[in-house]
Amino acid sequence: MMTARGSPRLNLLKEVAERHRVSPPTGSVEKRRRGSPKEDRAQWNASLEKDLVDLLREHATPEHKGQNGWSSEAWNKMVKKLNQKNPYARYEKKKLQEKKKELKRDYRMIKEIRKQSGVSWDDQQWKILADPPL
């Protein structure tokens, strides 16, 4: 059966084909869009960072740690406690792990800086003191 271009029958067949076309599941579309650094970044402040550090210290016990760090169960408990304490902040396990990694990197950097000559630490202001060239 042949239909002419622009005929009502062809348009009807196209409409039916469009309705029956399988669309991709919404979850996979969302996952592809999620990589945006601005959209996916968690908003941290000093209070949240302190709460996270306190939770990490609290869970730094043999029953919460595995061979390579905290167990998945421990991370889930920390996520739950952080979100309960700060109801406006809804963080997932991945975000806590990323922040822990960032805090650890910053700690190591500050520790190395403090070893340099001409550098000191001000405990009251919580900052590094150094000569301008440094």
Side-chain angles (χ1 to χ4, degrees):
M1 163 173 74
M2 293 183 68
T3 55
R5 227 181 217 164
S7 73
R9 183 165 177 87
L10 177 66
N11 292 338
L12 183 62
L13 288 172
K14 285 181 180 178
E15 282 180 36
V16 170
E18 284 293 319
R19 272 189 256 142
H20 293 295
R21 182 184 299 169
V22 179
S23 62
T26 56
S28 65
V29 172
E30 289 173 7
K31 283 182 184 175
R32 276 185 272 157
R33 290 183 191 156
R34 275 182 102 184
S36 167
K38 290 181 183 175
E39 178 182 311
D40 217 20
R41 287 191 77 126
Q43 298 296 317
W44 291 90
N45 60 33
S47 174
L48 286 169
E49 287 178 356
K50 184 183 180 324
D51 290 345
L52 176 60
V53 170
D54 291 343
L55 285 170
L56 291 168
R57 283 183 164 175
E58 179 184 327
H59 288 83
T61 59
E63 68 260 13
H64 291 114
K65 291 193 115 185
Q67 274 185 315
N68 297 320
W70 283 271
S71 66
S72 187
E73 183 182 320
W75 279 111
N76 291 333
K77 285 180 182 179
M78 287 188 273
V79 168
K80 187 176 179 181
K81 284 184 178 183
L82 185 73
N83 288 332
Q84 282 176 343
K85 187 171 181 181
N86 304 288
Y88 59 91
R90 305 300 311 167
Y91 294 122
E92 298 172 0
K93 180 171 83 168
K94 182 181 175 189
K95 294 297 170 195
L96 267 61
Q97 290 171 330
E98 288 172 359
K99 189 62 177 179
K100 181 218 128 219
K101 192 183 287 187
E102 181 184 320
L103 290 170
K104 193 172 184 177
R105 184 194 66 225
D106 292 348
Y107 170 78
R108 286 182 182 148
M109 190 169 35
I110 290 171
K111 187 177 176 181
E112 286 300 314
I113 291 170
R114 288 180 64 182
K115 288 180 182 177
Q116 304 296 316
S117 64
V119 175
S120 62
W121 179 258
D122 185 350
D123 284 326
Q124 292 175 346
Q125 295 181 4
W126 287 63
K127 67 180 189 179
I128 294 172
L129 302 175
D131 297 329
L134 292 175

